[in-house]
Amino acid sequence: MKKGNRKRIIGGIFTGATGVSAFLIIAIIILILVVIILGGKETFSWEFLTAFPEDGMLKGGIFPAIYGTAMLVLIMSVAAVPFGTLTAIYLTEYAGEKSVLAQTIRFAVRTLATVPSIIFGLFGLGFFIRFVGTGMDTVFLGGELKWGQPNILWASLTMALLTLPVVIVSVEEAIRAVPRELREASLALGATKWQTIRNIVIPGSFSGILTGTILAVSRGAGEVAPILFTGAAYYLATLPASLSDQFMNLGYHIYILSTQSSNVDQTLPIQFATTLVLLLLTFVLNFTAVIIRSGIRKRRAK
Amino acid sequence: MKEFKIRTQDLTLFYGEKMALNSISMDIPEKEVTAFIGPSGCGKSTFLRTLNRMNDLIPNVSITGEVMIDGVNIFDKQIDVVNLRKKIGMVFQKSNPFAKSIFENVAYGPRINGINNRTELQDIVETSLKKAFIWEEVKDRLHDSALGLSGGQQQRMCIARTLAVEPEIILMDEPASALDPISTAKIEELIFELKRNYTIVIVTHNMQQAARVSDYTAFFYLGELIEHGKTRKIFTTPDKKQTEDYITGRFG
């Protein structure tokens, strides 16, 4: 009787602990949102989104950071999406499912996904700027410094490396969701493998390519470490106009305002509002990706 | 005596270690309907899919023996499997329209063969849909999605899509098993019409269907060809007891 009671109490405590833990997760999210919204709502306005910073970034808007982030993820997508899609097609359509090659590629993709983002930043500095950029300057410009320094191109390519696994995994999943019957129908009509991939498989996995792109963009918009050394700027009076220009960035801007500003306390509302913009951006992107992805899963389940 | 379109000699197929077909030798006559019957897993679908080398797509399949089509071994190294499949159309158990319009579905085969002329494509699409007895039902909505058709219509459109490539042989893998009786009857009528111009091989679970549509019937059991002959004879006076037992419903 006593023993039974004790067991029941232990069971009750355990159940309670699991519930509290789960509840805490929701509470933390809500807390973060409430703090950021309260802190930023005064400053958040149309003008804030469209104006340049003023008074040594103590006032004004964050338009250059929004623009720079948009350009960064755009150039990044142009590089990562085709590259990732091609890799995913190779993995699913050409490499044998259990072949050593496919296993190796999968291992590489998984490893790439776990590399800390600051390492990508250092890699970008070493490979893109010092090796490729300086190399280009030496070969094409006779040593004049143009590409061998941080810019939006190298930052985007570095970010592309970081987001590649996201693209590859999403596209792979979508390609696998294309029913075998459709490939067989195409092949049975005398289509070659390439014709089948081009006409049936790629159009059929379009939503997966889209999901991968959105997830990559959302990841790329939020990461700061990879662009620290490769192209993000403290403050620029003009928007980047060429691939060899530096750029401002939302995440980096928050970091700058909170650590490098002449008056950190005065910039607090701007920090909150910038964070709100960044959060809204990634939330909306992720939410869209989740909706598209659940559509793909439903289709595959049929 | 009709010519034999397809002749197989000692065709044996393994999935990994598992034997799925054991030394099948069979002659399939031209412009007749040959039905493959037998219980699930007997190898009849595997055999059918070997005839257009669809099993190439499955890993760990090993095949020995010969399949001669018009006197040429289709496993010969010089054979281009893409051309082979143009000559041998295939209709699947589950209708599998592409997520494209009816027109684009039927035009798919001609297009990949390099026909891009609009008028020519229109002619091919119309003729193929007419041959598959579905033209009247779809002629006003050729550019609507094929996924909006009923199951039976989809299957006939898939047959039209196969005909558009002008094959000589049509392989059908239980083409009516997912359809209602009326749609099934339409498919059977269609098969009856098509055999004037095409050699047809059909796998079916439905014994009455085999009896109704086919001229020849082959009975498979556990990867072996038990008996093959005129449908009338197989269904009335089979030579083997196993065939008789299966047909009369004593097993399977």
Side-chain angles (χ1 to χ4, degrees), chain A residues 196-216:
Chain A
T196 302
I197 290 173
R198 195 189 60 195
N199 296 314
I200 306 298
V201 176
I202 294 181
S205 30
F206 180 73
S207 55
I209 297 173
L210 198 63
T211 318
T213 310
I214 294 172
L215 285 176

Side-chain angles (χ1 to χ4, degrees), chain A residues 41-257:
Chain A
K41 72 173 196 303
E42 296 291 317
T43 319
F44 188 83
S45 67
W46 178 248
E47 171 145 31
F48 180 70
L49 297 177
T50 53
F52 271 67
E54 286 162 26
D55 282 354
M57 298 204 286
L58 296 175
K59 284 183 185 164
I62 53 165
F63 181 68
I66 296 177
Y67 182 85
T69 306
M71 283 298 126
L72 172 81
V73 296
L74 183 74
I75 301 167
M76 174 204 82
S77 304
V78 168
V81 172
F83 190 24
T85 303
L86 289 174
T87 309
I89 291 173
Y90 182 81
L91 268 177
T92 47
E93 302 291 318
Y94 291 100
E97 182 67 22
K98 291 192 176 79
S99 71
V100 178
L101 189 62
Q103 304 273 22
T104 313
I105 298 171
R106 286 217 170 78
F107 178 75
V109 172
R110 273 199 302 273
T111 310
L112 204 61
T114 58
V115 171
S117 50
I118 191 72
I119 308 288
F120 281 101
L122 289 172
F123 175 81
L125 176 65
F127 180 73
F128 289 123
I129 297 176
R130 290 277 174 80
F131 180 71
V132 182
T134 308
M136 281 165 68
D137 286 345
T138 313
V139 173
F140 301 116
L141 302 170
E144 187 197 333
L145 184 66
K146 182 175 185 198
W147 297 102
Q149 56 190 351
N151 65 34
I152 194 165
L153 175 65
W154 302 140
S156 302
L157 292 183
T158 307
M159 199 63 98
L161 289 181
L162 177 103
T163 53
L164 253 184
V166 179
V167 179
I168 295 173
V169 170
S170 294
V171 178
E172 221 190 315
E173 184 179 359
I175 290 179
R176 288 191 201 285
V178 175
R180 202 188 60 178
E181 290 86 16
L182 292 188
R183 293 160 209 256
E184 288 190 339
S186 172
L187 293 167
L189 289 168
T192 61
K193 188 161 185 162
W194 159 239
Q195 286 170 326
T196 302
I197 290 173
R198 195 189 60 195
N199 296 314
I200 306 298
V201 176
I202 294 181
S205 30
F206 180 73
S207 55
I209 297 173
L210 198 63
T211 318
T213 310
I214 294 172
L215 285 176
V217 165
S218 130
R219 179 90 197 276
E223 283 283 350
V224 176
I227 58 173
L228 271 183
F229 322 119
T230 51
Y234 176 86
Y235 172 77
L236 294 168
T238 53
L239 299 175
S242 118
L243 288 176
S244 60
D245 287 348
Q246 288 195 295
F247 63 103
M248 290 179 71
N249 174 277
L250 283 171
Y252 189 61
H253 194 61
I254 297 170
Y255 166 73
I256 293 294
L257 291 180

Side-chain angles (χ1 to χ4, degrees), chain B:
Chain B
M1 184 65 199
K2 291 228 179 187
E3 296 269 321
F4 292 120
K5 187 76 176 170
I6 308 170
R7 314 184 73 147
T8 74
Q9 194 69 47
D10 295 327
L11 187 74
T12 299
L13 182 145
F14 282 89
Y15 290 121
E17 300 285 303
K18 191 180 165 287
M19 182 185 271
L21 293 174
N22 185 5
S23 192
I24 311 275
S25 300
M26 190 196 300
D27 297 330
I28 296 175
E30 186 168 19
K31 292 185 185 168
E32 303 269 15
V33 179
T34 301
F36 292 173
I37 60 170
S40 297
C42 67
K44 57 192 189 303
S45 281
T46 302
F47 185 66
L48 187 81
R49 294 167 59 90
T50 307
L51 302 179
N52 66 343
R53 289 186 51 185
M54 222 49 182
N55 287 327
D56 287 16
L57 306 173
I58 302 167
N60 297 323
V61 167
S62 58
I63 300 170
T64 54
E66 282 185 345
V67 175
M68 309 289 281
I69 290 180
D70 292 331
V72 180
N73 184 7
I74 64 167
F75 294 116
D76 200 292
K77 279 198 176 61
Q78 267 118 48
I79 289 288
D80 178 1
V81 67
V82 168
N83 281 327
L84 176 79
R85 292 195 188 125
K86 282 173 191 161
K87 189 165 152 180
I88 309 172
M90 189 165 202
V91 178
F92 296 81
Q93 179 172 5
K94 222 177 106 198
S95 60
N96 49 3
F98 302 131
K100 298 173 189 284
S101 68
I102 296 167
F103 184 93
E104 284 305 324
N105 261 277
V106 180
Y108 185 84
R111 267 195 206 282
I112 57 172
N113 287 317
I115 299 175
N116 282 314
N117 182 300
R118 192 79 197 165
T119 345
E120 205 178 334
L121 280 176
Q122 271 163 352
D123 280 351
I124 295 174
V125 168
E126 181 174 341
T127 318
S128 307
L129 287 167
K130 278 180 176 161
K131 279 189 199 161
F133 295 132
I134 190 176
W135 173 251
E136 288 302 321
E137 290 159 64
V138 300
K139 65 179 176 188
D140 299 321
R141 48 168 169 156
L142 288 178
H143 298 286
D144 292 357
S145 169
L147 302 177
L149 296 172
S150 75
Q153 288 173 327
Q154 283 187 3
Q155 194 60 302
R156 278 179 287 143
M157 188 212 70
C158 289
I159 293 175
R161 185 174 69 183
T162 301
L163 298 178
V165 190
E166 300 184 343
E168 294 167 22
I169 301 167
I170 302 174
L171 308 176
M172 298 185 171
D173 193 355
E174 301 186 43
S177 67
L179 302 181
D180 63 81
I182 292 168
S183 304
T184 303
K186 283 185 178 163
I187 300 276
E188 288 181 10
E189 256 174 70
L190 177 55
I191 293 171
F192 202 76
E193 279 302 310
L194 291 176
K195 76 169 182 182
R196 282 192 285 176
N197 297 308
Y198 304 90
T199 305
I200 295 176
V201 186
I202 174 170
V203 165
T204 176
H205 258 117
N206 180 331
M207 223 74 66
Q208 286 78 26
Q209 185 170 66
R212 282 194 300 263
V213 303
S214 70
D215 305 296
Y216 291 82
T217 297
F219 171 58
F220 288 80
Y221 186 59
L222 297 177
E224 313 228 6
L225 175 60
I226 305 295
E227 193 168 350
H228 175 211
K230 290 244 185 203
T231 297
R232 200 180 313 134
K233 179 168 187 306
I234 297 275
F235 277 87
T236 51
T237 53
D239 291 333
K240 301 274 172 58
K241 179 144 191 323
Q242 273 170 306
T243 316
E244 192 183 341
D245 286 351
Y246 181 70
I247 284 165
T248 53
R250 240 166 275 169
F251 82 96

